Amino acid sequence: MLLEIKDLHVSYGAIRALKGVSVQVGEGEIVALIGANGAGKTTTLRTASGLIRPQSGDITYKGKSLIKMPPHQIVSMGISQIPEGRKVFTRMTVLENLEMGAYIRKDKDNVKADIRNIFQRFPRLEERKHQLSGTLSGGEQQMLAMGRALMSQPNLLLMDEPSMGLAPMLVQEIFTIIKEINQTGTTILLVEQNAHMALSIANRAYVLETGEVVLAGPAQELANDPQVQKAYLGE
């Protein structure tokens, strides 16, 4: 397994956010975490990124434990996170945001080529490359957040609510891009409230409820599960 989350326990003060969560992500997969607000999806990603320290449990990447590693070291190992709410640097231009994504890289000559690749994937970003990112639309900011994360050349991309606040037409476009990114060889762990869309592109999925995994399996099987349909797909 590329990423293994084993029996993870996380608390915020007296609140137990994760109660023994275990998730596996294989090389080349898209794995989705679905569930209601407050189920522990974002906490799982933030712990994998090194932003939160767990009480117990382990997270291994290529067999190596990440638990005591600082976030910048986790990024240098090939894991990049696209945070919820996009979190672009609003007072920097589109181009500067992309350059920040390559901050830890030593191969500066290849960075320019990668920026060109990002602009090929997201032509709208090229049109606005000298524009302050705070002036972009929500969809454009999401594209920029994705482009910035790809600039660190991740092997594993952690995506937190990529469709949040976007118009339905844009949601479709963003999910098409996520699939394309995966097809070029990047493994994806996806947190998404739009369960329909998440299950339509994922290989496997986990359903979280109040900090615990209550269901797991192939994405298509979960999409057809009456329990999942009733709770998350509005059917």
Side-chain angles (χ1 to χ4, degrees), residues 8 20 67 78 104 124 205 214:
L8 207 59
I67 288 299
I104 60 160
R124 260 179 283 179
V214 291

Side-chain angles (χ1 to χ4, degrees), residues 111-128:
V111 167
K112 283 181 178 159
D114 282 349
I115 288 174
R116 283 197 298 275
N117 290 339
I118 297 293
F119 285 153
Q120 276 181 335
R121 192 184 290 283
F122 303 106
R124 260 179 283 179
L125 294 184
E126 184 167 29
E127 290 163 21
R128 293 159 174 72

Side-chain angles (χ1 to χ4, degrees), residues 165-218:
L166 300 185
M169 214 168 75
L170 265 176
V171 171
Q172 191 65 57
E173 189 179 343
I174 290 293
F175 274 85
T176 300
I177 294 164
I178 294 169
K179 247 190 130 165
E180 286 168 4
I181 290 168
N182 175 248
Q183 282 159 357
T184 60
T186 306
T187 304
I188 294 170
L189 178 57
L190 170 70
V191 157
E192 180 55 61
Q193 269 200 293
N194 186 333
H196 257 300
M197 291 302 295
L199 295 175
S200 75
I201 66 163
N203 302 99
R204 293 183 304 106
Y206 293 81
V207 179
L208 266 67
E209 274 178 24
T210 58
E212 296 178 272
V213 173
V214 291
L215 279 172

